Amino acid sequence: MAVRLDDMDRKILSQLQEDASQSLDEIARKVGSSKTPVWNRIRKMKELGVIGRQTVLLDPDSLGLEACFFVLIRTSEHEASWQQAFLKTLRERPEVLEAHRLAGDIDYILKVRVKNARAYDQFYQALISEVKIYNVTALLSMEEIKSTTLLPL
């Protein structure tokens, strides 16, 4: 269920999405308010779950993780036990940045970040050794055109 936000909430969220390391004073100045009301709004949005954990964004290329694969998975298994094992496996693999269950011919899509094709193959071999998968198609991203964590407000 969506939380009701007013314009001030949206301004604060925009500032936090852009740079959560800003001081409360900076955010208040940029949104045209004072520190205490901004802090109260941030605290309330945290309590409501609008604002989750705060983290930093790392540059994968700087860390040697230059290969991004989108992995399409089809399965012939649809039992709850298989799904639990599959999801547990995905959650335990740090290479899996995102995993989505899909409607249509493909059951799951994964975003996997690794050093190179050899590292992807190691990931793939580990994955298929842990859970039964009918078909896997890996697509190597040649160029990242857009990647953002900023949600439209």
Side-chain angles (χ1 to χ4, degrees):
M1 184 168 161
V3 175
R4 294 182 71 127
L5 302 172
D6 64 16
D7 287 341
M8 182 59 71
D9 292 331
R10 292 177 196 287
K11 287 179 185 177
I12 293 167
L13 289 173
S14 290
Q15 287 301 314
L16 288 171
Q17 282 194 115
E18 196 65 46
D19 181 3
S21 71
Q22 295 179 81
S23 72
L24 207 47
D25 288 324
E26 287 178 272
I27 295 169
R29 182 181 52 76
K30 289 178 179 177
V31 301
S33 184
S34 61
K35 191 169 153 177
T36 301
V38 168
W39 168 246
N40 288 333
R41 286 173 178 264
I42 290 172
R43 186 178 42 78
K44 182 180 178 186
M45 288 188 284
K46 283 181 179 181
E47 289 170 2
L48 293 171
V50 174
I51 298 172
R53 67 185 174 98
Q54 291 176 280
T55 186
V56 297
L57 301 176
L58 304 177
D59 178 54
D61 291 336
S62 297
L63 297 171
L65 300 170
E66 297 176 2
C68 180
F69 286 87
F70 292 91
V71 183
L72 310 177
I73 295 177
R74 292 179 61 205
T75 180
S76 57
E77 309 290 323
H78 295 283
E79 299 82 28
S81 61
W82 179 90
Q83 187 176 33
Q84 288 172 351
F86 178 67
L87 297 180
K88 180 180 181 293
T89 299
L90 295 183
R91 289 182 181 117
E92 292 174 352
R93 300 302 309 209
E95 306 93 334
V96 178
L97 303 182
E98 295 182 32
H100 301 267
R101 188 166 58 88
L102 305 175
D105 293 337
I106 304 298
D107 296 303
Y108 297 90
I109 185 169
L110 313 178
K111 181 178 180 181
V112 175
R113 182 64 85 156
V114 290
K115 290 182 180 191
N116 52 35
R118 181 173 295 138
Y120 170 76
D121 188 53
Q122 290 169 347
F123 163 80
Y124 167 76
Q125 295 298 330
L127 179 66
I128 62 171
S129 74
E130 293 181 38
V131 289
K132 181 179 176 186
I133 297 176
Y134 174 71
N135 182 274
V136 177
T137 301
L139 306 170
L140 173 64
S141 173
M142 299 299 290
E143 176 186 15
E144 183 175 87
I145 306 222
K146 179 180 180 181
S147 177
T148 184
T149 60
L150 304 180
L151 296 176
L153 298 170

